[in-house]
């Protein structure tokens, strides 16, 4: 933005737009980081009581996908295998946040021009005493590099990042899956 201000009359329109798009992207990343940190503090200190309501899973998936940049979505073949009639009883804000975190990770780690699958099915069995009604398994499957066995313990830790990602170009601070776990619990 400083370059645009200082050299505006010397930059062609294409360069100006490239700077503006990069600034907008940076602001979006900063906003997500701040939101993740604030959400972490909130879930650690004062967890909200979930506001449960009946939700169409396919509708929630579509709403979450609309939050992503269209250019990102176009880089992947999205396959959504969720029944139009599948309804869950959940907090809509929690469910959207969890799905957004899972999809965000899939977009970050999966090579472009590959398939991402969003699936939701009734769980085949529910452990005794856990739930009194059937549960639904919602999954995001991708063809990313996978998780080395030594790093699995880091997945749901606060600020947990895989060892290979510490020096890679993949951005993140390791709060998405931590927050998701807190919201699920």
């Amino acid at each position: 933005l400083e370059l645009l201000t200082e050299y505006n009359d010397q930059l062609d329109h294409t360069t100006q737009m490239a700077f503006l798009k990069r600034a907008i992207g940076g602001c979006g990343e900063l906003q997500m980081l701040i939101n993740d940190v604030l959400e972490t503090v909130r879930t650690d200190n004062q967890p909200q009581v979930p506001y449960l309501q009946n939700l169409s899973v396919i509708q929630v998936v579509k709403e979450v996908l609309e939050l992503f940049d269209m250019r990102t979505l176009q880089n992947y073949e999205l396959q959504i295998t969720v029944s139009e009639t599948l309804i869950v009883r959940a907090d809509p804000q929690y469910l959207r946040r969890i799905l957004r975190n899972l999809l965000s990770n899939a977009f970050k780690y999966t090579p472009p021009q590959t398939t991402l699958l969003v699936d939701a099915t009734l769980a085949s069995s529910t452990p005794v005493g856990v739930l009194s009604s059937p549960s639904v398994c919602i999954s995001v499957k991708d063809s990313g590099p996978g998780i080395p066995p030594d790093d699995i313990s880091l997945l749901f830790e606060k600020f947990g990042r895989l060892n290979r990602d510490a020096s890679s170009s993949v951005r993140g601070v390791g709060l998405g899956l931590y927050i998701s776990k807190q919201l699920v619990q």
Side-chain angles (χ1 to χ4, degrees):
L1 293 174
E2 288 175 5
L3 289 172
L4 278 174
T5 302
E6 193 169 328
Y7 299 103
N8 183 35
D9 56 341
Q10 299 170 20
L11 300 173
D12 62 79
H13 179 72
T14 304
T15 304
Q16 289 176 6
M17 293 309 296
F19 283 170
L20 285 173
K21 286 179 182 179
R22 178 170 254 171
I24 289 169
C27 288
E29 286 186 34
L30 184 58
Q31 182 179 10
M32 285 176 40
L33 173 63
I34 291 168
N35 288 341
D36 282 348
V37 170
L38 292 174
E39 183 74 20
T40 300
V41 170
R42 187 186 62 73
T43 57
D44 283 351
N45 295 330
Q46 299 173 335
Q48 279 183 310
V49 176
Y51 174 69
L52 300 178
Q53 61 187 77
N54 292 337
L55 302 168
S56 163
V57 176
I58 189 71
Q59 186 60 41
V60 173
V61 169
K62 288 177 182 178
E63 289 169 7
V64 170
L65 286 170
E66 288 175 3
L67 299 174
F68 288 93
D69 186 324
M70 183 58 71
R71 291 170 295 188
T72 299
L73 297 175
Q74 291 173 343
N75 283 330
Y76 300 91
E77 180 187 334
L78 289 172
Q79 292 181 1
I80 302 170
T81 57
V82 179
S83 168
E84 295 282 338
T85 60
L86 185 59
I87 304 293
V88 294
R89 186 148 182 83
D91 182 298
Q93 184 179 351
Y94 286 11
L95 183 56
R96 279 193 287 274
R97 182 64 187 262
I98 293 164
L99 276 172
R100 188 184 63 147
N101 288 342
L102 294 175
L103 285 164
S104 177
N105 279 356
F107 291 133
K108 276 194 257 185
Y109 294 102
T110 304
Q113 312 311 316
T114 58
T115 301
L116 288 176
L117 173 66
V118 179
D119 182 54
T121 57
L122 284 173
S124 58
S125 64
T126 302
V128 176
V130 174
L131 297 172
S132 59
S133 60
S135 59
V136 171
C137 177
I138 301 173
S139 63
V140 175
K141 298 176 186 175
D142 61 57
S143 54
I147 301 160
D150 292 346
D151 286 347
I152 290 175
S153 64
L154 301 173
L155 277 183
F156 297 102
E157 295 299 317
K158 191 187 310 183
F159 301 110
R161 301 242 12 235
L162 302 184
N163 293 323
R164 70 162 182 241
D165 297 334
S167 61
S168 77
S169 63
V170 176
R171 301 180 91 156
V173 293
L175 291 175
L177 291 179
Y178 172 80
I179 291 169
S180 295
K181 180 182 177 186
Q182 302 303 312
L183 295 177
V184 167
Q185 290 176 331

